[in-house]
Every structure is written in structure tokens, then in C-alpha cells.
Amino acid sequence: MAISKSVNNKHHHYYISVPSEIITSLQTLADTPKKTAAVSKINTLSKLKMFKNPRVWFLLVFICAFFFMLKVCKFDPFSAYPCGSIAKKDEGLTSLTSVVKIDEKSDFWEQPDGIGYRPCLDFSDEYRKLSGEILKDRTKYLVVVVSGGMNQQRNQIVDAVVIARILGATLVVPILQVNVIWGDESEFSDIFDVEHFKRILADDVRVVSSLPSNHLMSRPVEEKHTPLHVSPQWIRSRYLRRMRREGVLLLRGLDSRLSKDLPSDLQKLRCKVAFHALRFAPPIFELGNKLTERMRSKGPYLALHLRMEKDVWVRTGCLPGLSSKYDQIIYNERKLRPELLTSRSNMTYHDRKLVGLCPLNALEVTRLLKALGAPKTARIFWAGGDPLGGKEVLLPLMKEYPNFYNKEDLALPEELEPFAKKASIMAALDYIVSENSDVFMPSHGGNMGHAIQGHRAYAGHKKTITPNKRQMLSYFLNSTLPEAEFNKIIFDLHRDSMGQPVIRTNKSGRDVTKYPIPECMRNDSLVQRFL
């Protein structure tokens, strides 16, 4: 039995395709054996006989159930993005159904209760109506240059799409600035699937690979110093008139320039870009999934994003605590380049540590995992760059959890060889394996940790541990605390930090791609409760 829809002008007609056997039985029931005029009047007895046929009852039950579903569940099977069905594998979104059945006895692998939240990008009628006008426009073009590491670039690309929508402009595929730290010259098409990007956004923003020939020689309006957290109104008042006059607007340095608090439709567009449009290029996507399969071949696994690289210690104003030699290296680097320090330069290292501004080191990560019940047999994938001090600094973790791997351990040399010296692609592989994990935990905040947290929430609230550093570190420093008591305290501190649904609008300034509720996810059972 199938459902189809036909559209004729503005009138919509819905049809239910019924098996021919049922049609035949209905026709048989409608016929009478006598061909006289008297029999043309159907009597009560013949009606009763018709309803005794089980096929008729089956048809009636189906019709009633179908309309009940449409009314109560508010389900529109013909919508371009029906709530709950947008998360398709061909759009690169992982769902909990991809996680293997967990047979291990440890409670560590139990997933949080998502309380029924599911993806729902139900754009308003006004947004859809405006889309037609925007997509027809051929007079305004937005060119953006994004900088930083892969995850920082990813955030800027999301904002670039939203800004193009605000201005009603065509977006030229973003240009990735050469990363001076890692020397990575990757282009957009090296990291992301360009055609997929265009196709998913086809109803929202027109995306082209390059400027049309009549604009190639024109001098674009360039803006280098957009303030932080600007509103859609600011963007229109600042750029729209100049863009109409010159035809092309060039923006650089979009990191955190667009406000996190936007109208609902633009928040949904953010989610659509981050969770659906920005799929990694096929070679990266395929290798990332291979590494995932190798990690999961013997059961569930935990992904750790370890932030222990030299530049992380310099930027955070923290010390690795390895030895006086390494502490002096970080101190000297920070003194030479004070601009690298991200914030709160007046705070001492000890003060930063106590308020949770420093990354966890390997020993602290090990103690935290033990307190949270991670079994010694747990398979762990660790993502991130080479830690300051080499892999020796990871010995506390490796000793407690011997099944400890990174992408170099899982991949064959010839598989990684094409991506040599491509830091952005290596980061993309880390992203895929981490996002697909059964449990994910970062040792420190950052663009990758935030992006994966939001992606996992959108995919069904997969378990994501957020270390409560501000409250737990005082217990880490208390050497007199018995281990059993320490473990209980740490576990209790993290009961509500396991990836449970969090409402973004409870606090302004939160990024919807990290907290997709309520704009991008919906719980129908909660909606029905208040109707």
C-alpha cells in the first residue's frame, strides 16, 4: 500500500493506492446477482454482509489510522524536511541506530535519556516564501575568506551561509586561508563535499563555485573588521547598500562575528549547514568510517579529545606540569608572543587551574575516567595533535587503559599517505571517529569539542561527558581523600554532564550548533502535553 501526492496549480490532491485484490472485492460486493429494478435498492442485510468481509475492515482501519497519524503526530510525509526524517545517512548525519548493541556489563556505556527529542527543521512559511526571491537574485555575491584550524573554519562557513541569507546574496564557495601554523594549503573541496553542500542548501542560499565572468574584474567591497556578535539588522544596514552598488562583498575573519542569538529560522539554517550540508569529502568520509569500524570491531569505544599540544598550553596561559623544563618552554613562548594568550592575562596559572580554564593532563583524565566507571578493558580512541613532551606524557592513560589508539595506529601507512602534512584533513578524520563513538569526552573546551557535542546531541543525544573542572579540581588536589570517596564525589558531580538534553535558550549567547534545542529539535510528546 503506498501514498502519493499530485499538485495541480495551487490545489493539492492526496491519493491512497489500494491493492487490486481489495478493489476487486469491493466491486464484487457492490454487484448483486439479480438484474431487476427491485434489487437496485440495497437492503440492510446486504450491508451487513459487506462489513463481514475482513478485507473491508482492513481498509477502513488503515484509513482511520492514517488520518489519526496526520492529526495527532503532526506528520507531513510530503514535506521537504519532515520532522524526524531529515537525519538521513546520505547527509552525513550519524544516529544512535548506527551504534552497535552493547553487551558489556559496565554502566559506563549506557546512553543518556534523550526524552524523545529529534531533529526538526520546520522553517516558517515566510522563510520559504522569501527563498524564491533570494534564489532568483543574480546581482549580489558574497565572497568569504575563513581562517584558523578545520573546526574554526567550519564555524565560519556556517556563519557565512547565514550572512548570505541575511543579505539575499549568492555565496561563492568559501576560500580557506593558508594556515600559517601548520602550513596547510587545503581548499574547500579538499575537505568538504562541494556538490553535497550546494544541493543541501539549494532551497536556502544559492551557492556557486566562482564569481561570474562579469564580476571577475570588479573591485569588491572589502570588510576586514566586523565587530563581534553583530545582529542581522547591523549586517543589512552596514553592507546591503554597498553590495547592491558594487555587486560583490568580501568578508574576512568571521570568527564569532555573527550573533549567537538569531531569529528562529536563521538558527535552523545554522543547524542545517552544520549537521547536514558540511559533509566531509568522500575520501575523508570513507577513511573516517573505516577507522570507526576498526575501533568498533571488538565492541563499544570511548573517544578522547586531548588538548595537550604546545600551542594550547601557550594560548590558555596554563602549564603542562611535566617538569620545570617544559614549564619554562611555555613561559618563554608566552613572553615572546603575549598576543597568543586568549583572555584574562592578569590571572596566575594556579588561579586559572582552579576556575577550570586549563586543559586536563593525562593523569587527571585517567583519574576522571576511573571515577566515572570506565572499565580497564575500554577501547579508547584519542584525537588531537602531538602532545608537548611526546607520547611519553600519555603513559598514565596507556598504563591504566592499554587498548589506546589514535588514527596512526588504526590506519595503514598508505591510507594516510595522501593526507600527509594536511592538518585540516587529519582533524577531519579525528572528528569522524570521535563523533561516531559510543562515548566522547574532551579534556578541554574548544571548537572541535563544541562542534562534536552539538553533533552528537542532534544525532540522538549520544553520551558526551563534559568534565566539570571548576568543581572537581579541588578534590584532585586533595591527596588525603580516600580513592573510593574521591570516585563517588567525582561521579556525583558529573551525573548531569553526560550529554542529556539542554535547552539553549536558558542562557543567552549559546551557540545553537552546540545546543540545538529548542530551535532545531522537537519533542512531540512534550508539545502534546501542553496542547
Side-chain angles (χ1 to χ4, degrees):
M1 190 170 293
I3 305 169
S4 63
K5 175 183 178 182
S6 68
V7 180
N8 184 14
N9 295 332
K10 295 184 179 180
H11 300 287
H12 301 268
H13 304 284
Y14 298 82
Y15 301 96
I16 299 176
S17 176
V18 182
S20 59
E21 295 82 6
I22 296 179
I23 297 295
T24 303
S25 67
L26 290 175
Q27 290 174 342
T28 303
L29 290 167
D31 290 338
T32 58
K34 298 182 180 180
K35 304 294 183 180
T36 63
V39 181
S40 61
K41 296 181 180 180
I42 303 174
N43 56 36
T44 305
L45 183 60
S46 64
K47 289 181 181 180
L48 292 175
K49 286 182 179 180
M50 181 181 71
F51 285 104
K52 286 182 180 180
N53 190 305
R55 294 179 177 178
V56 176
W57 281 108
F58 174 80
L59 177 61
L60 292 174
V61 168
F62 170 79
I63 293 173
C64 292
F66 175 72
F67 285 106
F68 178 84
M69 178 180 67
L70 291 178
K71 180 176 178 61
V72 176
C73 299
K74 298 182 178 180
F75 176 72
D76 180 8
F78 310 113
S79 170
Y81 285 107
C83 291
S85 65
I86 186 171
K88 299 175 183 177
K89 288 185 178 179
D90 64 343
E91 293 174 359
L93 181 66
T94 306
S95 69
L96 278 176
T97 56
S98 66
V99 178
V100 296
K101 183 178 180 181
I102 295 171
D103 296 323
E104 295 202 10
K105 296 180 180 180
S106 174
D107 293 340
F108 180 77
W109 304 110
E110 287 187 4
Q111 298 296 318
D113 182 5
I115 57 177
Y117 278 102
R118 57 198 177 92
C120 182
L121 302 185
D122 51 345
F123 292 96
S124 69
D125 292 339
E126 182 182 358
Y127 178 93
R128 295 177 186 276
K129 182 180 179 180
L130 188 59
S131 294
E133 301 173 16
I134 291 175
L135 297 173
K136 291 177 183 177
D137 188 279
R138 298 292 187 274
T139 62
K140 302 188 298 293
Y141 291 84
L142 175 64
V143 179
V144 296
V145 180
V146 298
S147 58
M150 189 277 294
N151 291 288
Q152 191 175 359
Q153 291 173 340
R154 197 172 178 275
N155 292 341
Q156 294 173 54
I157 293 167
V158 171
D159 282 357
V161 173
V162 177
I163 292 172
R165 173 76 192 198
I166 291 170
L167 294 171
T170 296
L171 176 67
V172 179
V173 170
I175 300 167
L176 308 191
Q177 183 173 306
V178 176
N179 194 303
V180 294
I181 297 177
W182 297 288
D184 190 343
E185 298 182 359
S186 298
E187 297 181 1
F188 187 98
S189 58
D190 296 325
I191 303 173
F192 302 106
D193 187 333
V194 178
E195 295 309 313
H196 178 86
F197 183 74
K198 293 178 180 178
R199 184 172 65 254
I200 295 301
L201 298 175
D203 294 331
D204 308 275
V205 172
R206 181 170 171 260
V207 181
V208 296
S209 297
S210 61
L211 284 171
S213 57
N214 60 319
H215 284 289
L216 288 176
M217 302 303 293
S218 61
R219 184 181 181 88
V221 177
E222 183 172 359
E223 179 65 63
K224 297 180 181 179
H225 306 292
T226 304
L228 295 173
H229 313 302
V230 298
S231 67
Q233 292 76 16
W234 188 96
I235 289 172
R236 292 190 190 97
S237 63
R238 175 80 174 185
Y239 301 135
L240 198 53
R241 181 177 296 178
R242 290 190 292 168
M243 197 178 203
R244 285 171 176 162
R245 183 178 66 245
E246 303 295 337
V248 181
L249 171 67
L250 172 61
L251 294 180
R252 298 177 184 270
L254 289 181
D255 196 26
S256 299
R257 303 305 174 189
L258 185 61
S259 172
K260 298 294 186 288
D261 298 308
L262 298 173
S264 180
D265 283 323
L266 295 181
Q267 298 286 42
K268 290 178 173 62
L269 180 57
R270 256 189 171 138
C271 290
K272 190 174 181 180
V273 180
F275 304 137
H276 296 280
L278 280 175
R279 185 170 71 182
F280 292 114
I284 303 172
F285 191 71
E286 291 166 10
L287 180 55
N289 285 333
K290 281 184 182 179
L291 301 185
T292 297
E293 292 169 5
R294 291 168 191 171
M295 275 304 301
R296 184 163 286 140
S297 62
K298 296 182 180 179
Y301 71 94
L302 159 71
L304 292 176
H305 185 212
L306 301 179
R307 306 297 310 282
M308 301 179 187
E309 303 94 326
K310 178 182 175 181
D311 70 292
V312 173
W313 296 116
V314 172
R315 292 177 186 278
T316 57
C318 300
L319 296 175
L322 300 173
S323 67
S324 57
K325 170 188 172 183
Y326 288 109
D327 287 351
Q328 191 63 41
I329 290 173
I330 297 302
Y331 176 79
N332 292 340
E333 186 76 16
R334 195 178 298 133
K335 191 174 181 179
L336 287 172
R337 302 185 65 185
E339 73 278 4
L340 294 179
L341 189 60
T342 51
S343 62
R344 305 188 190 186
S345 57
N346 60 329
M347 293 179 68
T348 66
Y349 156 64
H350 186 71
D351 290 338
R352 286 173 176 272
K353 184 82 172 177
L354 287 179
V355 297
L357 294 177
C358 293
L360 298 176
N361 60 36
L363 180 59
E364 291 163 342
V365 171
T366 304
R367 294 187 71 191
L368 175 57
L369 290 176
K370 288 178 66 178
L372 296 179
K376 191 176 181 68
T377 57
R379 291 168 61 80
I380 297 179
F381 174 83
W382 70 275
D386 293 332
L388 178 67
K391 290 189 177 180
E392 291 78 10
V393 304
L394 301 177
L395 285 176
L397 266 168
M398 298 168 70
K399 183 178 179 180
E400 185 66 31
Y401 298 101
N403 299 315
F404 194 73
Y405 313 94
N406 67 358
K407 53 186 173 292
E408 284 81 7
D409 299 320
L410 297 173
L412 300 174
E414 58 268 24
E415 290 177 322
L416 288 181
E417 195 276 331
F419 308 132
K421 298 182 181 180
K422 298 284 187 180
S424 294
I425 295 178
M426 291 298 190
L429 292 172
D430 278 344
Y431 189 104
I432 293 170
V433 184
S434 297
E435 202 284 316
N436 285 336
S437 66
D438 300 277
V439 181
F440 171 72
M441 187 181 86
S443 68
H444 188 59
N447 291 310
M448 177 170 165
H450 293 167
I452 291 179
Q453 177 182 330
H455 210 142
R456 291 171 67 84
Y458 192 75
H461 288 96
K462 296 188 288 184
K463 187 171 183 177
T464 302
I465 301 169
T466 304
N468 192 342
K469 292 184 289 183
R470 183 185 291 270
Q471 295 188 41
M472 76 182 189
L473 282 175
S474 60
Y475 299 103
F476 276 72
L477 299 174
N478 186 351
S479 58
T480 64
L481 202 61
E483 184 176 3
E485 186 178 349
F486 170 84
N487 289 348
K488 184 180 184 305
I489 292 172
I490 298 302
F491 185 87
D492 289 342
L493 283 176
H494 289 84
R495 286 186 183 275
D496 297 325
S497 303
M498 299 292 182
Q500 298 93 333
V502 176
I503 307 298
R504 187 195 74 84
T505 48
N506 286 351
K507 186 177 180 181
S508 64
R510 284 180 167 177
D511 193 335
V512 72
T513 61
K514 183 180 179 183
Y515 300 99
I517 300 173
E519 289 92 348
C520 303
M521 301 185 78
R522 189 175 75 185
N523 183 323
D524 284 335
S525 61
L526 292 180
V527 172
Q528 292 294 326
R529 191 179 302 171
F530 294 101
L531 292 179

